[in-house]
Amino acid sequence: MNLDFDFFYSWVKSNLHIDLNAYKEKQLQRRIATIMKNSGASDLREYAKRISQDQEIKNIFLDYITINVTEFFRNKEIFEQYETVIKDVLIPRFKSINIWSAACSVGAEPYSIAIILDKYNLYKGNKILATDIDDNILKKAQKGVFYDHQLKNVSSKNLAHYFKQQDNQYIIDEKIKDMVSFKKHDLILDQYQKNLHSIVCRNVTIYFKNEAKDQIYAKISESLVSGGVLFTGATESIYNPKEIGLKKLSTFIYEKI
């Protein structure tokens, strides 16, 4: 199948404000071809027209392109290291901390951070901003409704304390929900907030080309205050952190020099 990806990438950037050129090509184009076929479109120009005319097709495209696999305390042992850094490094170092959960998906990650802050009575004066490129995902995140498979790393004590079960769903406590503010943000195209004490950006840069990945980490470093920390995913690493003003605290946690 000969598909005009140049046209489609340009159309998506102009109409949906997403820069697909930053994503790894083969993987992304396979996904686009599959979802285009599922929509009933025979080529990308027809698919673009369908996206612009049908909100459901548009929503499916956005959900399919933006990977939304997530769970609370993902990679539990690594997340425990981050909890230790919050407790032993960030809180003693700063009077209050501003944390950004980038590409937050349905909210499991920022709510995990909120649970940590509440655990140590650190919820007052500390802020958690959670962002994602997908409006529909952000709406789901704001509802705070989760399922068993997303809660496998939550202890039975925390499950009882922070969630209310309704049938096969778990609704997060309002106190935890109120600790997180959600906002739409594109890691490639949008400006980054400054003066942050910690940025959590996990399991997202693996989908980007190296050039885009390097730009993201450089902008993250610029957004951190000196002594602030970046928490990355279990399959992600920064090969020359010193070049962008970072140093390793542990395998997946970096400190702004």
Side-chain angles (χ1 to χ4, degrees), residues 201-256:
C201 185
R202 309 184 71 219
N203 309 300
V204 61
T205 63
I206 53 173
Y207 300 107
F208 292 120
K209 296 176 182 175
N210 287 335
E211 183 182 354
K213 188 187 304 184
D214 292 344
Q215 290 173 356
I216 288 170
Y217 285 138
K219 288 192 282 187
I220 282 175
S221 179
E222 290 172 5
S223 293
L224 287 168
V225 299
S226 179
V229 299
L230 163 64
F231 180 27
T232 64
T235 58
E236 296 164 321
S237 59
I238 303 172
Y239 295 109
N240 297 297
K242 285 185 179 179
E243 291 182 4
I244 55 172
L246 299 174
K247 67 176 182 180
K248 271 193 176 186
L249 284 185
S250 66
T251 308
F252 306 106
I253 300 176
Y254 300 82
E255 180 181 333
K256 176 68 177 288

Side-chain angles (χ1 to χ4, degrees), residues 45-83:
R45 290 180 183 272
E46 182 186 349
Y47 185 42
K49 187 180 290 186
R50 292 192 180 205
I51 291 172
S52 65
Q53 294 174 347
D54 189 316
Q55 186 63 41
E56 185 178 354
I57 289 176
K58 178 181 176 181
N59 290 344
I60 291 171
F61 169 73
L62 291 173
D63 287 347
Y64 204 73
I65 294 304
T66 56
I67 314 298
N68 288 305
V69 177
T70 187
E71 63 190 27
F72 278 75
F73 304 102
R74 186 172 181 178
N75 309 116
K76 193 169 183 289
E77 295 79 11
I78 300 171
F79 223 103
E80 286 171 352
Q81 292 177 30
Y82 181 60
E83 177 177 338

